[in-house]
């Protein structure tokens, strides 16, 4: 029972302490919001609004003034008292331990204060804008009117250089004057912001008129004088080129130039309508087009130089390749008597013949166009370049075909030499077998040597077939070479095993009297040796002797090297 009472007392104490801490925090929040409210109350909003009283209180200004004053009165008389009452409620809820309710109310008050702050900032900004607009209007109106006089004077002095565009300027000057009248009216009515907008528009219009009035004379000179002069220069240059033998009828230059000339009056009209950006863009495009014509004419001059300097070499190439193609046909006829020409080579020669026929036709077409002046030099240059590329490819194909035909003969000689070397090697292997004096030649070795002889004979037969098929010849010679290599390796290994087994038996004889096991092993090894099973003889003799002398294999091999 005592423990229960103590536990309840402890819980009660914890609740009391926690409530005290939370309530203290709420009081701190109330103090903070109270200071915030005081700061808002002390903002000099009324003083700022009173600045407007120095202006004409009518129209737009009057509406804004009344709106600002009403908003500020609502803040002072309604919103801030509401906040003050809410702070009392917060403390009351805290005293009743309604902390959640207190925090919710604190959040609501903070949101309300933030809205009031934003509203005050908007009032201050609007007041500053209105007062500043009035001040700026008073300071700028004189400058803008002076600018108006300057533009009006400039237009008057240069009236003749504007053409019909002067009428548009005259209309715009009247609109500027109307703008000044509207500015004065809006100012008298207290509409300072609207007056500011009117003055800004007038100022921008005057800047544009100044810019246009300075640009129009140069644009008209370019359209009516400079550009036509450029067109005449190009036409004169084209006429000079025609007299020197250039064919320009394949180009559309004359048609383009005439179209540009017919477009100029429209550009003048666009200038008079003050569509200057449109005119600037089009003139820039026309100049690029003229630059393109100049470039094409220069390319035509370069093309003529290229054609005249290249035509002779192309002619020689055509004649040379025609002769080489005939030679290739004769060479192929000779080779076909002894060899079977690969199918891909036959196809290549058929292809090169067709391509040369096409190239020769292109050459004859080019000569006709060149000699009868039917094409521009630029077009002829492109034809020559294509033809040169085609002839180069044909030349490579002819060279490749000649190399293939030559290779067939060369491969025959090479195959004969290889076969000769293989036969010589075969004789050497047979001599090596005789010199070895093997007591018995294993049947498997005999089979390998006979197989090598057969393959050499088959390769020789392939070289006697007509027409020769070098692919098959290569195949048979390669097979014979591999078989001979295999036979040679087998022979060397057999001789080495025979010599080793014989040496081991001779060395082991010293142990026969001492060891019946060695005597019996050597007896069986001698039997295998006489039968030609030399590796088995080694396998029988070596373990038995090693039991008596472990290093016997190294000693036997060392003695063999000394004898050699």
């Amino acid at each position: 029972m005592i423990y229960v009472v103590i536990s309840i007392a402890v819980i009660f104490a914890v609740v009391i302490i926690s409530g005290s801490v939370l309530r203290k925090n709420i009081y701190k929040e109330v103090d903070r919001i109270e200071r915030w409210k005081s700061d808002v109350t002390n903002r000099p909003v009324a003083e700022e609004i009173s600045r407007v009283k120095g202006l004409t209180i009518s129209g737009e200004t009057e509406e804004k003034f009344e709106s600002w004053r009403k908003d500020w009165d609502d803040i002072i008389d309604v919103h801030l008292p509401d906040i003050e009452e809410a702070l009392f409620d917060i403390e009351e809820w805290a005293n009743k331990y309604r902390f959640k309710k207190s925090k919710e109310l604190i959040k609501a008050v903070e949101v309300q204060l933030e809205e009031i702050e934003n509203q005050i900032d908007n009032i201050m900004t609007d007041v500053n804008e209105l007062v500043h607009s009035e001040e700026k209007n008073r300071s700028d109106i004189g400058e803008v009117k002076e600018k108006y006089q300057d533009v009006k004077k400039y237009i008057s002095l240069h009236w003749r250089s504007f053409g019909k565009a002067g009428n548009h300027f005259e209309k715009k000057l009247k609109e500027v004057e109307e703008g000044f009248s509207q500015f004065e009216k809006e100012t008298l009515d207290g509409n300072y912001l609207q007056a500011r907008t009117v003055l800004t528009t007038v100022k921008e219009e005057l800047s544009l008129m100044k810019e246009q009035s300075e640009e129009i004379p140069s644009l008209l000179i370019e359209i009516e004088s400079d550009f036509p002069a450029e067109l005449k220069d190009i036409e004169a240059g084209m006429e000079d080129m025609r007299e020197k033998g250039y064919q320009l009828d394949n180009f559309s230059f004359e048609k383009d130039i005439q179209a540009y000339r017919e477009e100029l009056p429209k550009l003048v009209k666009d200038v008079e309508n003050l569509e200057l950006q449109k005119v600037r863009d089009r003139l820039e495009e026309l100049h690029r087009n003229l630059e393109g014509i100049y470039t094409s004419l220069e390319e035509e001059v370069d093309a003529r130089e290229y054609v005249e300097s290249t035509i002779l070499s192309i002619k020689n190439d055509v004649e040379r390749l025609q002769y080489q193609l005939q030679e290739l046909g004769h060479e192929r006829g000779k080779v076909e008597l002894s060899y079977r020409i690969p199918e891909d080579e036959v196809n290549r020669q058929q292809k090169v013949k067709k391509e040369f026929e096409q190239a020769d036709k292109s050459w004859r077409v080019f000569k006709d166009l060149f000699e009868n002046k039917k094409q521009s030099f630029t077009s002829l240059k492109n034809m020559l370049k294509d033809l040169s590329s085609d002839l180069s490819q044909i030349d490579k194909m002819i060279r490749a075909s000649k190399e293939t035909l030559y290779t067939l003969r060369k491969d025959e000689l090479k195959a004969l030499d290889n076969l000769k070397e293989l036969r010589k090697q075969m004789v050497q292997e047979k001599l090596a077998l005789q010199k070895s004096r093997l007591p018995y030649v294993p049947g498997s070795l005999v089979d390998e040597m006979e197989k090598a002889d057969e393959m050499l004979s088959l390769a020789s037969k392939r070289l006697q077939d007509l027409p020769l098929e070098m692919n098959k010849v290569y195949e048979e010679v390669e097979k014979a070479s591999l078989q001979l290599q295999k036979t040679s390796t087998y022979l060397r290994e057999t001789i080495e095993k025979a010599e080793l087994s014989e040496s081991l038996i001779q060395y082991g004889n010293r142990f026969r009297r001492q060891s019946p096991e060695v005597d019996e092993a050597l007896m069986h090894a001698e039997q295998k040796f006489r039968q030609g099973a030399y590796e088995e003889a080694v396998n029988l003799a070596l373990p038995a002797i090693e039991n008596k002398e472990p290093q016997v294999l190294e000693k036997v091999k060392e003695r063999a090297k000394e004898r050699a």
Side-chain angles (χ1 to χ4, degrees), residues 170-342:
E170 185 176 8
K171 180 181 178 182
K172 286 183 175 293
L173 286 173
K174 290 181 180 179
E175 291 175 355
V176 169
E177 292 173 357
E178 292 173 358
F180 284 136
S181 299
Q182 185 181 359
F183 170 80
E184 296 296 339
K185 181 180 182 303
E186 298 293 351
T187 301
L188 291 174
D189 291 342
N191 300 326
Y192 298 106
L193 295 177
Q194 293 184 26
R196 184 68 193 161
T197 301
V198 172
L199 188 59
T200 301
T201 302
V202 168
K203 187 176 181 180
E204 292 174 352
E205 186 63 33
L206 286 171
S207 296
L208 179 60
M209 289 173 64
K210 176 68 172 174
E211 180 183 328
Q212 291 175 335
S213 63
E214 291 175 348
E215 186 179 9
I216 285 175
S218 61
L219 285 177
L220 290 176
I221 289 174
E222 184 174 1
I223 295 170
E224 297 175 343
S225 178
D226 295 346
F227 194 76
E230 286 188 57
L231 296 179
K232 288 182 179 180
D233 287 343
I234 291 179
E235 288 175 328
M238 291 172 60
E239 185 61 31
D240 182 59
M241 290 179 68
R242 283 194 181 90
E243 292 176 359
K244 293 178 180 178
Y246 289 91
Q247 298 300 312
L248 303 180
D249 294 339
N250 295 292
F251 297 99
S252 63
F253 297 153
E254 290 183 339
K255 181 180 178 182
D256 294 338
I257 290 171
Q258 183 59 31
Y260 301 154
R261 185 174 280 118
E262 293 174 355
E263 187 179 354
L264 295 179
K266 183 179 180 301
L267 291 179
V268 171
K269 189 173 184 59
D270 290 338
V271 171
E272 292 171 349
N273 291 329
L274 302 182
E275 298 180 22
L276 303 189
Q277 185 60 49
K278 176 181 177 182
V279 173
R280 283 194 296 270
D281 293 342
R282 182 53 181 163
L283 282 175
E284 184 178 346
E285 184 178 357
L286 290 176
H287 281 297
R288 285 199 301 269
N289 293 345
L290 289 188
E291 188 64 32
I293 294 176
Y294 277 120
T295 300
S296 297
L297 293 176
E298 290 173 358
E299 290 174 352
E300 182 70 2
V301 173
D302 293 339
R304 179 175 186 173
E305 181 180 351
Y306 174 86
V307 169
E308 292 178 347
S309 64
T310 308
I311 188 170
L312 181 60
S313 66
I314 296 295
K315 176 178 178 295
N316 293 336
D317 286 343
V318 171
E319 294 174 351
R320 175 178 59 82
L321 292 177
Q322 186 176 29
Y323 176 73
Q324 289 183 356
L325 199 58
Q326 292 172 353
E327 278 192 330
L328 179 64
H330 296 320
E331 182 69 15
R332 175 182 170 183
K334 294 178 182 178
V335 172
E336 281 180 328
L337 296 176
S338 301
Y339 300 91
R340 183 181 298 279
I341 298 177

Side-chain angles (χ1 to χ4, degrees), residues 344-514:
D344 57 346
E345 175 55 30
V346 174
N347 293 335
R348 177 164 59 188
Q349 292 190 22
Q350 291 174 349
K351 180 180 179 182
V352 74
K353 182 180 178 181
K354 290 180 181 179
E355 291 192 3
F356 179 78
E357 290 173 353
Q358 183 60 44
D360 183 59
K361 181 179 179 181
S362 298
W363 166 245
R364 286 184 278 110
V365 170
F366 169 83
K367 284 200 304 180
D368 176 66
L369 296 174
F370 174 74
E371 292 170 358
N372 295 295
K373 299 180 179 181
K374 296 179 180 179
Q375 284 281 9
S376 66
F377 285 105
T378 302
S379 177
L380 293 174
K381 175 183 177 180
N382 293 333
M383 291 182 66
L384 271 188
K385 282 192 170 184
D386 292 341
L387 182 56
S388 177
S389 176
D390 293 341
L391 293 176
S392 176
Q393 185 64 28
I394 291 169
D395 183 56
K396 290 179 182 178
M397 293 173 68
I398 291 176
R399 290 175 184 273
S401 291
K402 285 185 175 180
E403 182 65 26
T404 298
L405 296 179
Y406 171 73
T407 300
L408 288 174
R409 296 295 306 276
K410 184 175 67 173
D411 289 346
E412 178 190 6
L413 297 176
K414 182 179 178 181
L416 285 170
D417 289 340
N418 289 343
L419 195 57
K420 182 178 179 182
E421 289 296 322
L422 292 175
R423 287 192 174 282
K424 182 178 178 180
Q425 183 180 350
M426 188 65 194
V427 171
Q428 290 174 348
E429 299 301 337
K430 289 179 179 180
L431 288 174
L433 179 60
Q434 292 176 3
K435 290 179 181 180
S436 68
R437 297 177 183 178
L438 295 176
Y440 184 85
V441 179
S444 57
L445 177 60
V446 174
D447 292 342
E448 292 296 333
M449 296 190 77
E450 289 177 352
K451 189 174 181 181
D453 275 330
E454 290 175 3
M455 289 188 175
L456 288 172
S457 298
L458 183 58
S460 297
K461 184 180 177 182
R462 286 292 185 192
L463 278 168
Q464 295 171 4
D465 292 341
L466 290 178
L468 279 175
E469 295 186 62
M470 290 309 300
N471 290 337
K472 292 184 178 180
V473 171
Y474 285 142
E475 183 179 345
E476 297 300 337
V477 172
E478 181 65 18
K479 286 181 180 179
S481 176
L482 292 174
Q483 179 60 36
L484 187 54
Q485 184 65 35
K486 179 180 177 183
T487 302
S488 176
T489 301
Y490 192 11
L491 175 61
R492 296 288 180 273
E493 291 176 350
T494 301
I495 292 172
E496 289 175 1
K497 293 292 183 182
E499 291 176 349
L500 178 60
S501 61
E502 185 179 14
S503 297
L504 285 171
I505 292 170
Q506 291 174 355
Y507 191 89
N509 286 334
R510 67 186 67 183
F511 302 112
R512 278 187 164 185
R513 293 180 182 180
Q514 304 172 12

